Amino acid sequence: MTFLAFLTFALIKAAFAANLNLTITGPSSLPDTASHVLHPSLASFSIETAFFISYVGNRTSPNLLTQNLLQNIKDRIGIPAEVRIGGITADSTFWDPTLEAAIFDFVDDSGALINTTIGPEFWNAARELLPADTQITVNLNLESLNYTGALAVAQSAVQGLSDQVAAFEIGNEPDHYLSFTPESYSDVWEPWSQNITSALNLTTPRFQLAATADDPLWPYNTPAADAQLDCVSALAAGVDNASTVEWCSEHTYQYSVCDPTRTAVATLSNLVNHTRLAMYLDLWQPRIQSVRNQLGSQAFVIGEFNSVSCSGRDGVSNTFGQALWLLDTAFYAASINVSRLYIHQGGPLALQSATQLNKGGFSFYDLWYPIDNLNGPVQVFPSYSAYLFVADTIGSSRALKIANIYPGRQSNGSTITTAEGDTSEGQLVVYGFWDESLPSNATFPTKLALLNLQIYNETQEDSRPVATFDISAFLSSADAQVTVRRLAAPGADTQSANVTLWAGQTFENGTPNGTLVEEKVSGGIVTVEASGAALVIL
């Protein structure tokens, strides 16, 4: 790799603990493998269309929990997280200008949600109840092949949201219906995008392509891989002939409970592991590079993602372990030049899979439950705090770049091969952040993120291991003092926000409880307990 961090690693085994030591010996300068400038809305949200009003409420009864949780992020960055309104129910959503309620979900006798109708109050709620100036991606119905219906929803969004519409998506996960090929998909998508652009007098490209679901096949340069419907194959088929594509979006769900076979491996220990995560997201690297070359450096987004598809897994997706996974996912994706990630929020849908584990209520992978439901009362989950970590890392900077320092980037772009230095087996991760707007420029990072992904559960009785990170090579002087903010909980299996701490504060009620805690550390040695993470401000 071009940026070679010479690392020494020692493993010390105690009777019931494994204490790890990691020394990073530089260089401290911005590596040539660093990302593009990070988008301030790196950590954004996707909310299922049929559940959107449940999340935000309505103008007569707004959901204050949702408002506070989203405002916390805006307060840290200066702009709101972006929101995509979409998902599987977008492909059965229709517009009715006479509907008095914001939304009507038609559910049959079996409990299946058949279709969704929205009216003017839907967009009023989005405009007035999300943080001011929230940029919104609107997912349109493609599966019905009803252009007039899709145009009506798009037109209503422009009228109801004014300048808040950032993008339109035509269809959600179209690789799962109508037997689309890249060519047949492009034959529909391209004229629809062109006609909607003309009908709404859009002056710039406003469309987000693909929103596909299937993981890339590997190796990627085979006939089978080339035949997949995705951003790259659609662009090759002429989907952007009318120059309407601004971004490409693909979806990632690392694990699944859509069927018993995949449910068996959707475990907490599998989820909280950097090697497994990097192996998974690395599948997208060829597509990311291709899209960026064709459409620009910020063009590739993960427009919908979460830990476990078909609405998550109890004891996995609703734990502090998912918070660590979410933190590693956001930073690793950013390090391979994903512009924004939209974590999906919603509930189990009966038509999603006949063999899925979850049947009703809200999803176990949601960062919070906005209303009481079959899977629990109104509550915030530990993983929400991971987004606060990301927000505080970005802050007000608009010139921040990220690089994976450990395990470090190889010549093929990956960070996963143990033979290349990751003797921690995916348990320790270090990210560096360089702010090119500062006088120090690219000589030293301004922040480091230290992750200790060893699984330690609150039910364990043995002592909790720690990892000792020696970051002295990244300090401008040997006696430099750094500030440390910690993401912590009793264990990876913790499910309660009231014991999940970000910089000493909890957020179970949507607003910070407790006193902000920032540690001052000298000497370049920072310890992080197992199942924990720290933001080091240099």
Side-chain angles (χ1 to χ4, degrees):
M1 49 186 150
T2 54
F3 174 56
L4 181 59
F6 295 98
L7 302 163
T8 62
F9 183 86
L11 179 64
I12 305 170
K13 290 188 177 180
F16 299 101
N19 294 317
L20 308 178
N21 297 305
L22 178 63
T23 300
I24 309 171
T25 58
S28 62
S29 56
L30 178 72
D32 57 11
T33 57
S35 71
H36 57 227
V37 172
L38 296 185
H39 195 292
S41 296
L42 171 67
S44 288
F45 294 90
S46 168
I47 303 177
E48 189 71 46
T49 304
F51 291 84
F52 180 74
I53 296 301
S54 295
Y55 266 87
V56 301
N58 54 57
R59 291 194 294 172
T60 59
S61 182
N63 190 293
L64 298 181
L65 178 64
T66 294
Q67 287 186 326
N68 288 332
L69 293 172
L70 294 178
Q71 187 64 39
N72 290 335
I73 295 172
K74 180 180 180 180
D75 290 343
R76 284 162 166 77
I77 300 176
I79 65 171
E82 296 190 5
V83 173
R84 173 218 189 209
I85 302 175
I88 192 172
T89 59
D91 271 312
S92 55
T93 292
F94 302 91
W95 168 253
D96 182 355
T98 67
L99 186 68
E100 294 185 5
I103 194 169
F104 175 75
D105 291 324
F106 175 64
V107 180
D108 70 10
D109 293 339
S110 71
L113 197 161
I114 303 302
N115 58 52
T116 296
T117 304
I118 61 174
E121 279 301 314
F122 185 91
W123 301 122
N124 290 338
R127 183 184 67 253
E128 297 188 21
L129 303 182
L130 293 173
D133 302 319
T134 297
Q135 294 298 290
I136 297 171
T137 295
V138 179
N139 197 182
L140 307 176
N141 181 346
L142 173 63
E143 188 174 10
S144 300
L145 290 180
N146 180 350
Y147 168 76
T148 302
L151 174 61
V153 172
Q155 189 169 34
S156 71
V158 168
Q159 291 173 344
L161 295 175
S162 185
D163 58 355
Q164 287 184 255
V165 178
F168 290 110
E169 284 184 338
I170 302 174
N172 175 76
E173 301 183 351
D175 48 342
H176 281 188
Y177 54 74
L178 298 177
S179 300
F180 275 131
T181 64
E183 291 73 23
S184 63
Y185 168 79
S186 299
D187 287 344
V188 176
W189 196 99
E190 191 268 350
W192 278 32
S193 68
Q194 184 177 22
N195 292 338
I196 292 172
T197 297
S198 298
L200 301 183
N201 295 315
L202 304 179
T203 57
T204 59
R206 294 282 286 275
F207 287 84
Q208 194 155 280
L209 179 65
T212 46
D214 288 342
D215 297 346
L217 294 175
W218 189 264
Y220 67 92
N221 55 347
T222 64
D226 291 342
Q228 283 188 285
L229 174 57
D230 58 72
C231 283
V232 175
S233 65
L235 287 169
V239 76
D240 194 31
N241 285 348
S243 300
T244 55
V245 179
E246 182 82 8
W247 302 279
C248 279
S249 164
E250 297 188 17
H251 299 173
T252 64
Y253 287 87
Q254 191 173 348
Y255 294 95
S256 180
V257 290
C258 292
D259 55 74
T261 300
R262 287 184 287 174
T263 297
V265 297
T267 63
L268 191 58
S269 59
N270 283 344
L271 182 70
V272 188
N273 182 276
H274 177 76
T275 300
R276 288 176 175 269
L277 167 65
M279 288 176 68
Y280 180 65
L281 289 184
D282 279 349
L283 294 173
W284 274 268
Q285 287 214 45
R287 293 185 184 176
I288 295 169
Q289 293 167 10
S290 177
V291 167
R292 295 178 74 233
N293 288 338
Q294 295 181 72
L295 297 175
S297 64
Q298 299 281 343
F300 192 95
V301 306
I302 295 178
E304 179 185 318
F305 82 109
N306 217 304
S307 57
V308 181
S309 67
C310 282
S311 291
R313 186 171 190 180
D314 190 16
V316 176
S317 303
N318 50 3
T319 68
F320 183 69
Q322 166 148 314
L324 297 171
W325 167 87
L326 180 55
L327 185 62
D328 197 18
T329 295
F331 285 156
Y332 189 73
S335 79
I336 59 174
N337 291 310
V338 173
S339 173
R340 281 151 291 151
L341 301 92
Y342 299 74
I343 193 162
H344 199 52
Q345 310 294 287
L349 297 161
L351 297 180
Q352 196 166 9
S353 168
T355 58
Q356 68 191 49
L357 183 65
N358 302 314
K359 303 299 182 183
F362 274 63
S363 299
F364 289 109
Y365 58 46
D366 291 343
L367 302 195
W368 69 92
Y369 289 164
I371 60 174
D372 295 341
N373 66 95
L374 292 176
N375 289 326
V378 172
Q379 60 188 299
V380 179
F381 290 101
S383 48
Y384 168 76
S385 292
Y387 259 26
L388 297 180
F389 190 125
V390 175
D392 277 334
T393 301
I394 294 174
S396 60
S397 175
R398 299 298 181 263
L400 205 65
K401 294 185 176 182
I402 184 175
N404 183 278
I405 296 175
Y406 185 83
R409 187 76 62 206
Q410 300 167 40
S411 59
N412 67 355
S414 177
T415 73
I416 62 174
T417 307
T418 55
E420 294 277 345
D422 182 14
T423 51
S424 79
E425 299 179 347
Q427 295 179 320
L428 300 184
V429 194
V430 180
Y431 294 98
F433 302 85
W434 286 259
D435 193 330
E436 294 190 308
S437 69
L438 298 179
S440 61
N441 202 325
T443 305
F444 290 95
T446 57
K447 296 173 184 175
L448 298 173
L450 312 178
L451 282 63
N452 183 351
L453 303 182
Q454 291 184 91
I455 293 292
Y456 181 86
N457 292 322
E458 62 177 305
T459 51
Q460 291 180 226
E461 296 181 356
D462 53 316
S463 59
R464 191 167 189 166
V466 297
T468 300
F469 294 84
D470 185 343
I471 61 170
S472 55
F474 286 79
L475 304 181
S476 57
S477 64
D479 59 350
Q481 187 179 71
V482 301
T483 300
V484 179
R485 293 187 175 191
R486 297 187 183 276
L487 181 63
D493 56 346
T494 296
Q495 297 185 19
S496 299
N498 62 359
V499 291
T500 299
L501 297 170
W502 168 238
Q505 297 177 315
T506 63
F507 292 83
E508 66 272 19
N509 298 316
T511 54
N513 292 320
T515 302
L516 179 71
V517 175
E518 293 186 328
E519 302 171 29
K520 302 298 181 181
V521 176
S522 299
I525 303 297
V526 180
T527 60
V528 181
E529 62 187 5
S531 296
L535 176 63
V536 181
I537 303 169
L538 306 180

